[in-house]
Amino acid sequence: MTTRTEESRSTGTRSAATRERILATAEALILQRGFTATSIDDILEQAAITKGGFFYHFNGKKELARALVERYLEQDNRIFTALFQQADALSEDPLHQLLIFLKLFADMMADMAVTHPGCLVASFTYESQQLDDEVRALIRQGILVWRKLISLRLEKILVKYPPRQPADVPTLADMFTSTVEGGILLSRIYNSNQPLVNQILQYRMHLRLVFGDL
Amino acid sequence: MTTRTEESRSTGTRSAATRERILATAEALILQRGFTATSIDDILEQAAITKGGFFYHFNGKKELARALVERYLEQDNRIFTALFQQADALSEDPLHQLLIFLKLFADMMADMAVTHPGCLVASFTYESQQLDDEVRALIRQGILVWRKLISLRLEKILVKYPPRQPADVPTLADMFTSTVEGGILLSRIYNSNQPLVNQILQYRMHLRLVFGDL
DNA sequence: CTGATTACTGTACCGCTGGTACGGTTTGCC
DNA sequence: GGCAAACCGTACCAGCGGTACAGTAATCAG
């Protein structure tokens, strides 16, 4: 009955696979419905696991939330790192590297089959009261990582390209996060990835204008 | 016991006052905790009303949501209209009018005593599964109004100011919404209004750069 | 092959709360 | 003083998060 998808043969990875199945299912459901609106029973049903099994892996819903945020930030980090590596391989110039990264990112969003499911960080931020301080700290940490990622590149760019207007690096870096989160919201409302893609490209144009590349 | 705050004497405005009290309380709570996580009982307690009284005014939680969105969009509209009127009084030039509007808006956000409570539109978008199609339509409608408001002004600007780069009006208009929503999210996470203000001003700078005002 | 450990299943249960319903009571108004 | 509108009080129930635990299947060490 429990249609196991037969991943992870051999070693003791069975546990990890189940855990991952729970996390993936929970993330999808929470992005659709929100954290509070997603019951544990909902997750159990879709993940084809029993309550006992669930509580074997997680002590409760809050610990699930914690694990979800950690997983999400790690995933996100992997994606960004990969895209930056690609971009860095295509140019030596710090400005062009960042511009290429943004183009690659926009392309990736455009190529998504379905509408962007949303960002767990945003979803949790709007229900932060239901989560522990620890989870909130994790989220803030994640945002700061994104800020740092872009900031480092902006600093390098500043050295080479005098900005057309005085540029505040943290604000310009935060603008990336702001653009993505705002774009995702628009995409959810318009039910299409296009707005998200457009906003990312607009942010890209902003950087080009600020650093006199146009 | 029921500490009525003794507003609205005389005429049959008692009902409207109660209704408004419920709505205001509900909005504050929902922005803090999220829609699903806000129980009717929570609202009853803070609004000093009983369950019976509540259901006299609203058929249920979903209808409350509907009323909240309507109220929110109306409020929002009033604020934007007022700021635009102020801006239009200060300049004849379409570009400068929009720039002044953005400055006024940024100032308003900066002057808020507490951290921006969040946007109901965003909050509901992330829990849209719990709402009727009607509410979702309302939200989309609201977003489209904002787009239109800015688009009309951008069109006028385009006539006078040739853009430095080909400008897509809807995308540039959506960028306002995206900036505000993204900024609000940042402000919630950083627990300060500054990021929101900074993002609005950065959007303002983007427009200045695009339309060659710098 | 065996036995121990891990990784679950299945079931039964509990306290609590969110949402609904509705009969009764107060208040305002002609 | 009578009639609506506005509001109170209470009762009800499904469903939630969480617990407990006995039984069973998979995995691995020796």
Side-chain angles (χ1 to χ4, degrees):
Chain A
M1 175 173 286
T2 53
T3 51
R4 298 289 301 281
T5 38
E6 206 61 26
E7 62 233 343
S8 78
R9 56 175 73 254
S10 65
T11 56
T13 331
R14 185 167 76 115
S15 173
T18 304
R19 193 185 145 90
E20 169 59 24
R21 204 170 72 245
I22 294 172
L23 287 171
T25 307
E27 180 179 308
L29 287 177
I30 287 172
L31 286 177
Q32 276 172 36
R33 317 180 187 186
F35 179 69
T36 318
T38 303
S39 74
I40 296 185
D41 283 329
D42 289 340
I43 299 168
L44 301 184
E45 199 181 345
Q46 281 236 3
I49 199 174
T50 59
K51 222 165 198 178
F54 175 85
F55 276 91
Y56 175 79
H57 286 282
F58 303 98
N59 277 329
K61 214 185 176 188
K62 286 185 180 178
E63 200 191 294
L64 173 70
R66 193 182 169 287
L68 277 173
V69 172
E70 279 175 356
R71 196 183 92 110
Y72 188 83
L73 293 178
E74 279 167 18
Q75 265 181 2
D76 227 275
N77 240 40
R78 269 201 299 278
I79 292 173
F80 285 166
T81 304
L83 289 185
F84 268 128
Q85 272 180 356
Q86 260 188 276
D88 292 352
L90 291 171
S91 173
E92 297 280 309
D93 183 84
L95 177 56
H96 290 152
Q97 285 173 346
L98 186 51
L99 295 177
I100 292 170
F101 164 79
L102 288 171
K103 183 66 173 65
L104 290 173
F105 186 49
D107 286 348
M108 184 183 250
M109 294 300 105
D111 288 346
M112 283 181 38
V114 293
T115 311
H116 192 290
C119 174
L120 202 71
V121 167
S123 185
F124 276 11
T125 298
Y126 270 94
E127 291 188 86
S128 55
Q129 297 270 335
Q130 270 61 50
L131 309 167
D132 313 19
D133 287 342
E134 202 188 347
V135 177
R136 262 174 290 190
L138 270 175
I139 289 174
R140 179 181 286 170
Q141 202 79 30
I143 298 282
L144 285 174
V145 166
W146 299 344
R147 172 191 263 188
K148 191 86 186 201
L149 263 176
I150 311 285
S151 282
L152 286 175
R153 307 213 161 228
L154 288 174
E155 300 278 11
K156 281 188 203 160
I157 293 170
L158 263 179
V159 174
K160 194 168 170 185
Y161 296 87
R164 199 168 295 184
Q165 282 294 308
D168 181 45
V169 169
T171 296
L172 222 45
D174 277 346
M175 195 178 180
F176 172 70
T177 305
S178 173
T179 299
V180 173
E181 296 296 354
I184 289 174
L185 199 87
L186 289 176
S187 281
R188 280 187 71 122
I189 291 171
Y190 288 138
N191 202 30
S192 151
N193 282 327
Q194 201 55 50
L196 171 57
V197 172
N198 289 341
Q199 292 307 314
I200 295 170
L201 293 178
Q202 202 67 31
Y203 172 61
R204 185 172 180 272
M205 186 185 284
H206 182 60
L207 291 183
R208 294 187 73 184
L209 287 168
V210 167
F211 294 107
D213 190 49
L214 285 171
Chain B
M1 175 172 287
T2 53
T3 51
R4 297 288 301 279
T5 38
E6 206 59 24
E7 63 230 346
S8 78
R9 53 176 74 254
S10 68
T11 56
T13 330
R14 187 167 72 116
S15 173
T18 305
R19 193 185 145 91
E20 169 59 24
R21 207 170 70 247
I22 294 172
L23 287 172
T25 307
E27 181 179 308
L29 288 177
I30 287 172
L31 286 178
Q32 276 173 37
R33 317 180 186 187
F35 179 69
T36 317
T38 303
S39 76
I40 295 185
D41 281 331
D42 291 340
I43 299 168
L44 301 183
E45 199 181 347
Q46 282 236 2
I49 199 175
T50 59
K51 229 162 195 178
F54 175 86
F55 276 92
Y56 173 79
H57 287 282
F58 304 98
N59 278 329
K61 216 183 172 188
K62 285 185 182 180
E63 200 191 296
L64 173 70
R66 193 183 170 285
L68 277 174
V69 172
E70 280 175 355
R71 196 182 92 110
Y72 188 85
L73 293 178
E74 279 166 17
Q75 266 182 1
D76 226 275
N77 240 41
R78 270 201 299 278
I79 292 172
F80 285 166
T81 303
L83 288 186
F84 269 129
Q85 273 180 354
Q86 262 189 272
D88 293 352
L90 291 170
S91 173
E92 297 280 309
D93 183 83
L95 176 56
H96 291 153
Q97 284 174 346
L98 186 51
L99 294 178
I100 292 170
F101 164 79
L102 288 172
K103 184 66 174 63
L104 290 173
F105 187 48
D107 286 348
M108 184 183 249
M109 295 299 105
D111 288 346
M112 283 183 34
V114 293
T115 311
H116 193 290
C119 174
L120 204 71
V121 167
S123 186
F124 277 11
T125 299
Y126 270 94
E127 292 187 87
S128 56
Q129 296 270 332
Q130 270 63 48
L131 309 167
D132 315 21
D133 287 341
E134 202 188 346
V135 178
R136 262 173 290 191
L138 270 175
I139 289 175
R140 180 182 285 170
Q141 202 79 30
I143 298 282
L144 286 173
V145 166
W146 300 343
R147 173 191 261 187
K148 191 88 188 198
L149 263 177
I150 311 285
S151 282
L152 285 175
R153 309 220 158 220
L154 288 175
E155 301 278 12
K156 281 188 203 159
I157 293 170
L158 262 179
V159 174
K160 193 166 170 187
Y161 296 86
R164 199 168 295 184
Q165 282 293 307
D168 182 45
V169 169
T171 295
L172 223 44
D174 277 346
M175 196 178 180
F176 173 70
T177 305
S178 172
T179 298
V180 173
E181 296 296 354
I184 289 174
L185 198 85
L186 288 177
S187 280
R188 283 187 69 122
I189 291 171
Y190 288 136
N191 200 32
S192 152
N193 281 328
Q194 200 54 51
L196 170 57
V197 172
N198 288 340
Q199 291 308 313
I200 294 171
L201 293 178
Q202 202 68 32
Y203 172 60
R204 185 171 180 272
M205 185 184 285
H206 182 60
L207 291 182
R208 294 186 74 184
L209 286 168
V210 166
F211 293 108
D213 189 51
L214 284 171

